[in-house]
Amino acid sequence: MSVTTNAAPLKIAEPWFDEVETKGVADVLASGQLIQAQRVLELERAFAEETGLAQAVMVSSGTAALHLAMLACDIGPGDAVAVPDYTFVATANAVACAGATPVFVDVAPDTYNMDPAALRSLIEWMPAQGGGFRLRMIMPVHQFGLPAEMDAIAALALEHGLVLVEDAACALGSRYRGGKIGAWGRAACFSFHPRKVITTGEGGAVVTNDVALADRLRALRAHGFAVPPHRPELVEPGLNYRMTEMQAALGLGQMAKLPAILDRRRRLASLMTRALAGLSWFAPPQAPPHLSPNWQSYVGLLAERVDRTKVIAHMASRGIETRPGATANHLLKAYRDCPPAMTPACPVSAMLDARTLALPLHPLMQPADVERVADALRAYQAE
Ligand SMILES: Cc1ncc(COP(=O)(O)O)c(C=O)c1O
């Protein structure tokens, strides 16, 4: 469909960089020190302080963070990990790539997050299934930056002796009952992909209060060599998941902007919700009072009768990028056809997979851009 507007294209996400990041990266290039060094350390300190955890381990992506967390928690063959069905595939992939089995939990229709009642059912249902899998870990996702129901999920982890690791890829700056995200379990994993609130191009971090776990993560991200104060010997086979100094320079610039980024996102999201009020066929994202999202993405729900492909084409014809929300993992070929698909039904996730729509929301947008998005959506003839 052709673009029928002269207005600048509006992307779903765009990073906010300025001369701080430009100079930071140029300084790294001039120094010749490209791989993990002082800037990565500095970013780790800043990130630990921001999240309130004792240790932050910077890595090359959010996926690398999740994979390392699996390895460092000794998750492997024979283990099962409960993950929400409605998420980006990296969550389940990290489990599968550690040799373990992801088991999918349905989500709540209002928050799109792991449903604690469905998690309880899964925990009670799994032992009867046989198959030689033992549930060892719960990995909730704070989808689109809205915190999962952590009181209930952490209580289930405690009750059943399960390891808890948060996939906080989207949730830097979000709050649960006023508290920060990342301290509920043994570790939490963040992503700095360009669609996240801060970006290093690709990049990620694992945070934890467990110093021994952090040491192991640091060894595993650099081939398996122990880190100081331990002797620098190869303690176990590891990977190369290090963050570069260029990424860290971007990260340091982004961390300085974090309060302003979060503030802009919150204002724009609230404007968007107001501008879309009364639209019968698009339900804006919900944020119950005890959950404060960072508005990493603005994802609403289309009425069943609305053809999402046509809405996306309609918005594109006005120069506005929109996208489906996340994916129902149990419907993906790799998880549908393989033995790991030992999953109870996830009807809510399947519904969200078909009907969610992400609208542009990023800190370079102006209030007029929000109006433009809302006007374009309103102009779609849904009947
Ligand atoms: C929930 C979730 N987990 C993990 C990831 C993986 O992060 P990355 O793209 O940095 O590997 C993403 C995003 O991309 C995500 O949205």
Side-chain angles (χ1 to χ4, degrees), residues 150-186:
M150 293 312 296
D151 280 344
I153 292 170
L156 280 169
L158 193 66
E159 183 185 335
H160 295 275
L162 301 170
V163 182
L164 181 58
V165 166
E166 294 168 66
D167 179 345
C170 309
L172 180 61
S174 303
R175 295 280 188 278
Y176 180 91
R177 297 195 194 285
K180 291 181 177 179
I181 292 301
W184 287 93
R186 276 203 86 190

Short mmCIF file of all heavy atoms in Angstrom, two decimals, residues 150-186:
data_model
loop_
_atom_site.label_atom_id
_atom_site.label_comp_id
_atom_site.label_asym_id
_atom_site.label_seq_id
_atom_site.Cartn_x
_atom_site.Cartn_y
_atom_site.Cartn_z
N MET A 150 4.23 -10.59 41.04
CA MET A 150 5.37 -11.23 41.69
C MET A 150 5.08 -11.75 43.09
O MET A 150 5.69 -12.73 43.50
CB MET A 150 6.58 -10.27 41.69
CG MET A 150 7.14 -10.01 40.30
SD MET A 150 7.41 -11.48 39.30
CE MET A 150 8.67 -12.32 40.24
N ASP A 151 4.16 -11.13 43.83
CA ASP A 151 3.85 -11.67 45.17
C ASP A 151 3.40 -13.12 45.05
O ASP A 151 3.91 -14.00 45.73
CB ASP A 151 2.72 -10.85 45.83
CG ASP A 151 3.23 -9.56 46.44
OD1 ASP A 151 4.46 -9.43 46.62
OD2 ASP A 151 2.39 -8.66 46.70
N ALA A 152 2.44 -13.35 44.17
CA ALA A 152 1.86 -14.69 44.02
C ALA A 152 2.88 -15.65 43.41
O ALA A 152 2.98 -16.82 43.83
CB ALA A 152 0.61 -14.61 43.16
N ILE A 153 3.64 -15.19 42.43
CA ILE A 153 4.60 -16.08 41.74
C ILE A 153 5.74 -16.45 42.70
O ILE A 153 6.14 -17.62 42.79
CB ILE A 153 5.12 -15.40 40.45
CG1 ILE A 153 3.97 -15.30 39.43
CG2 ILE A 153 6.31 -16.17 39.86
CD1 ILE A 153 4.27 -14.45 38.21
N ALA A 154 6.25 -15.48 43.44
CA ALA A 154 7.34 -15.76 44.39
C ALA A 154 6.85 -16.70 45.50
O ALA A 154 7.60 -17.57 45.96
CB ALA A 154 7.87 -14.46 44.98
N ALA A 155 5.58 -16.53 45.92
CA ALA A 155 5.05 -17.42 46.96
C ALA A 155 4.99 -18.86 46.45
O ALA A 155 5.32 -19.81 47.18
CB ALA A 155 3.66 -16.95 47.38
N LEU A 156 4.60 -19.05 45.18
CA LEU A 156 4.56 -20.40 44.61
C LEU A 156 5.96 -21.00 44.50
O LEU A 156 6.17 -22.18 44.75
CB LEU A 156 3.90 -20.36 43.22
CG LEU A 156 2.37 -20.30 43.24
CD1 LEU A 156 1.82 -19.99 41.85
CD2 LEU A 156 1.79 -21.62 43.75
N ALA A 157 6.93 -20.15 44.12
CA ALA A 157 8.32 -20.63 44.01
C ALA A 157 8.80 -21.12 45.37
O ALA A 157 9.40 -22.20 45.49
CB ALA A 157 9.22 -19.52 43.48
N LEU A 158 8.50 -20.34 46.40
CA LEU A 158 8.92 -20.69 47.76
C LEU A 158 8.23 -21.98 48.23
O LEU A 158 8.88 -22.91 48.72
CB LEU A 158 8.57 -19.53 48.69
CG LEU A 158 9.20 -19.55 50.07
CD1 LEU A 158 10.72 -19.38 49.95
CD2 LEU A 158 8.63 -18.40 50.93
N GLU A 159 6.91 -22.02 48.01
CA GLU A 159 6.12 -23.18 48.45
C GLU A 159 6.61 -24.48 47.82
O GLU A 159 6.62 -25.53 48.46
CB GLU A 159 4.65 -22.92 48.07
CG GLU A 159 3.68 -23.99 48.51
CD GLU A 159 2.26 -23.69 47.96
OE1 GLU A 159 1.93 -22.52 47.68
OE2 GLU A 159 1.49 -24.66 47.83
N HIS A 160 7.06 -24.41 46.55
CA HIS A 160 7.42 -25.64 45.83
C HIS A 160 8.93 -25.79 45.64
O HIS A 160 9.36 -26.65 44.87
CB HIS A 160 6.68 -25.68 44.48
CG HIS A 160 5.20 -25.78 44.66
ND1 HIS A 160 4.54 -26.98 44.84
CD2 HIS A 160 4.24 -24.82 44.74
CE1 HIS A 160 3.25 -26.76 44.99
NE2 HIS A 160 3.03 -25.46 44.93
N GLY A 161 9.72 -24.96 46.30
CA GLY A 161 11.17 -25.09 46.22
C GLY A 161 11.72 -24.88 44.81
O GLY A 161 12.65 -25.58 44.39
N LEU A 162 11.14 -23.93 44.08
CA LEU A 162 11.57 -23.70 42.70
C LEU A 162 12.46 -22.46 42.62
O LEU A 162 12.22 -21.48 43.34
CB LEU A 162 10.35 -23.51 41.80
CG LEU A 162 9.38 -24.70 41.78
CD1 LEU A 162 8.08 -24.33 41.07
CD2 LEU A 162 10.03 -25.91 41.12
N VAL A 163 13.47 -22.51 41.76
CA VAL A 163 14.33 -21.34 41.54
C VAL A 163 13.50 -20.30 40.78
O VAL A 163 12.71 -20.65 39.91
CB VAL A 163 15.57 -21.73 40.69
CG1 VAL A 163 16.49 -20.54 40.49
CG2 VAL A 163 16.31 -22.89 41.32
N LEU A 164 13.71 -19.04 41.13
CA LEU A 164 12.98 -17.96 40.45
C LEU A 164 14.00 -17.05 39.76
O LEU A 164 14.94 -16.56 40.40
CB LEU A 164 12.16 -17.17 41.48
CG LEU A 164 11.32 -16.01 41.00
CD1 LEU A 164 10.29 -16.43 39.95
CD2 LEU A 164 10.58 -15.37 42.18
N VAL A 165 13.84 -16.87 38.46
CA VAL A 165 14.66 -15.92 37.70
C VAL A 165 13.70 -15.05 36.90
O VAL A 165 12.81 -15.57 36.24
CB VAL A 165 15.66 -16.65 36.77
CG1 VAL A 165 16.27 -15.68 35.75
CG2 VAL A 165 16.78 -17.30 37.58
N GLU A 166 13.86 -13.74 36.98
CA GLU A 166 12.97 -12.83 36.25
C GLU A 166 13.53 -12.54 34.86
O GLU A 166 14.70 -12.18 34.73
CB GLU A 166 12.86 -11.49 36.98
CG GLU A 166 12.17 -11.54 38.32
CD GLU A 166 12.38 -10.23 39.08
OE1 GLU A 166 11.87 -9.19 38.66
OE2 GLU A 166 13.07 -10.27 40.12
N ASP A 167 12.69 -12.70 33.83
CA ASP A 167 13.04 -12.15 32.53
C ASP A 167 12.53 -10.70 32.55
O ASP A 167 11.36 -10.43 32.28
CB ASP A 167 12.40 -12.95 31.40
CG ASP A 167 12.74 -12.38 30.02
OD1 ASP A 167 13.21 -11.23 29.96
OD2 ASP A 167 12.53 -13.07 29.01
N ALA A 168 13.46 -9.81 32.91
CA ALA A 168 13.12 -8.38 33.04
C ALA A 168 13.61 -7.62 31.81
O ALA A 168 13.87 -6.42 31.88
CB ALA A 168 13.74 -7.82 34.32
N ALA A 169 13.71 -8.33 30.67
CA ALA A 169 14.25 -7.73 29.44
C ALA A 169 13.62 -6.37 29.15
O ALA A 169 14.30 -5.44 28.71
CB ALA A 169 14.03 -8.67 28.26
N CYS A 170 12.31 -6.27 29.40
CA CYS A 170 11.56 -5.06 29.01
C CYS A 170 11.37 -4.09 30.18
O CYS A 170 10.69 -3.07 30.01
CB CYS A 170 10.18 -5.44 28.50
SG CYS A 170 10.16 -6.70 27.25
N ALA A 171 11.87 -4.40 31.38
CA ALA A 171 11.31 -3.77 32.58
C ALA A 171 12.23 -2.84 33.36
O ALA A 171 11.95 -2.55 34.53
CB ALA A 171 10.76 -4.86 33.51
N LEU A 172 13.29 -2.34 32.74
CA LEU A 172 14.13 -1.38 33.48
C LEU A 172 13.30 -0.14 33.81
O LEU A 172 12.71 0.49 32.92
CB LEU A 172 15.36 -0.99 32.64
CG LEU A 172 16.30 0.01 33.30
CD1 LEU A 172 16.89 -0.54 34.58
CD2 LEU A 172 17.41 0.42 32.33
N GLY A 173 13.24 0.19 35.10
CA GLY A 173 12.51 1.39 35.52
C GLY A 173 11.06 1.14 35.90
O GLY A 173 10.39 2.04 36.39
N SER A 174 10.55 -0.09 35.67
CA SER A 174 9.18 -0.41 36.09
C SER A 174 9.17 -0.60 37.61
O SER A 174 10.19 -0.89 38.23
CB SER A 174 8.69 -1.70 35.42
OG SER A 174 8.77 -1.57 34.02
N ARG A 175 7.97 -0.48 38.19
CA ARG A 175 7.85 -0.64 39.64
C ARG A 175 6.71 -1.61 39.98
O ARG A 175 5.65 -1.56 39.34
CB ARG A 175 7.51 0.70 40.31
CG ARG A 175 8.60 1.76 40.18
CD ARG A 175 9.69 1.52 41.22
NE ARG A 175 10.65 2.61 41.24
CZ ARG A 175 11.67 2.75 40.41
NH1 ARG A 175 11.86 1.85 39.45
NH2 ARG A 175 12.50 3.77 40.51
N TYR A 176 6.96 -2.45 41.00
CA TYR A 176 5.93 -3.35 41.51
C TYR A 176 5.64 -2.93 42.94
O TYR A 176 6.54 -2.98 43.78
CB TYR A 176 6.43 -4.80 41.46
CG TYR A 176 5.42 -5.80 41.97
CD1 TYR A 176 4.52 -6.39 41.10
CD2 TYR A 176 5.36 -6.15 43.32
CE1 TYR A 176 3.57 -7.31 41.56
CE2 TYR A 176 4.41 -7.05 43.78
CZ TYR A 176 3.52 -7.62 42.90
OH TYR A 176 2.58 -8.52 43.35
N ARG A 177 4.43 -2.52 43.23
CA ARG A 177 4.07 -1.97 44.55
C ARG A 177 5.13 -0.96 45.00
O ARG A 177 5.59 -0.98 46.15
CB ARG A 177 3.92 -3.08 45.60
CG ARG A 177 2.81 -4.06 45.28
CD ARG A 177 2.43 -4.94 46.47
NE ARG A 177 1.61 -6.07 46.07
CZ ARG A 177 0.30 -5.98 45.75
NH1 ARG A 177 -0.31 -4.84 45.78
NH2 ARG A 177 -0.37 -7.05 45.38
N GLY A 178 5.56 -0.13 44.07
CA GLY A 178 6.52 0.93 44.37
C GLY A 178 7.97 0.49 44.39
O GLY A 178 8.88 1.32 44.41
N GLY A 179 8.22 -0.83 44.41
CA GLY A 179 9.60 -1.32 44.47
C GLY A 179 10.16 -1.63 43.09
O GLY A 179 9.41 -1.87 42.14
N LYS A 180 11.50 -1.67 43.01
CA LYS A 180 12.13 -1.91 41.71
C LYS A 180 12.01 -3.37 41.30
O LYS A 180 11.74 -4.24 42.12
CB LYS A 180 13.60 -1.51 41.78
CG LYS A 180 13.76 -0.01 41.91
CD LYS A 180 15.21 0.40 41.94
CE LYS A 180 15.28 1.93 42.01
NZ LYS A 180 16.65 2.41 42.06
N ILE A 181 12.26 -3.62 40.04
CA ILE A 181 12.20 -4.95 39.45
C ILE A 181 13.58 -5.60 39.52
O ILE A 181 14.59 -4.92 39.35
CB ILE A 181 11.79 -4.78 37.95
CG1 ILE A 181 10.35 -4.28 37.85
CG2 ILE A 181 11.98 -6.06 37.15
CD1 ILE A 181 9.32 -5.15 38.49
N GLY A 182 13.64 -6.90 39.79
CA GLY A 182 14.92 -7.61 39.66
C GLY A 182 15.41 -8.32 40.89
O GLY A 182 16.39 -9.06 40.83
N ALA A 183 14.74 -8.10 42.04
CA ALA A 183 15.27 -8.66 43.29
C ALA A 183 14.42 -9.81 43.82
O ALA A 183 14.60 -10.24 44.95
CB ALA A 183 15.37 -7.56 44.34
N TRP A 184 13.50 -10.32 43.01
CA TRP A 184 12.57 -11.33 43.52
C TRP A 184 13.20 -12.71 43.64
O TRP A 184 12.78 -13.52 44.46
CB TRP A 184 11.34 -11.42 42.61
CG TRP A 184 10.45 -10.25 42.77
CD1 TRP A 184 10.47 -9.11 42.03
CD2 TRP A 184 9.44 -10.08 43.76
NE1 TRP A 184 9.52 -8.24 42.48
CE2 TRP A 184 8.87 -8.81 43.54
CE3 TRP A 184 8.95 -10.87 44.79
CZ2 TRP A 184 7.83 -8.32 44.32
CZ3 TRP A 184 7.91 -10.39 45.56
CH2 TRP A 184 7.37 -9.13 45.32
N GLY A 185 14.16 -13.00 42.77
CA GLY A 185 14.67 -14.37 42.73
C GLY A 185 16.18 -14.40 42.79
O GLY A 185 16.82 -13.50 43.34
N ARG A 186 16.76 -15.48 42.23
CA ARG A 186 18.23 -15.61 42.25
C ARG A 186 18.87 -14.59 41.32
O ARG A 186 19.98 -14.14 41.56
CB ARG A 186 18.64 -17.01 41.80
CG ARG A 186 18.60 -18.02 42.90
CD ARG A 186 19.49 -19.19 42.60
NE ARG A 186 20.87 -18.96 42.99
CZ ARG A 186 21.89 -19.74 42.66
NH1 ARG A 186 21.69 -20.80 41.90
NH2 ARG A 186 23.11 -19.48 43.07
#
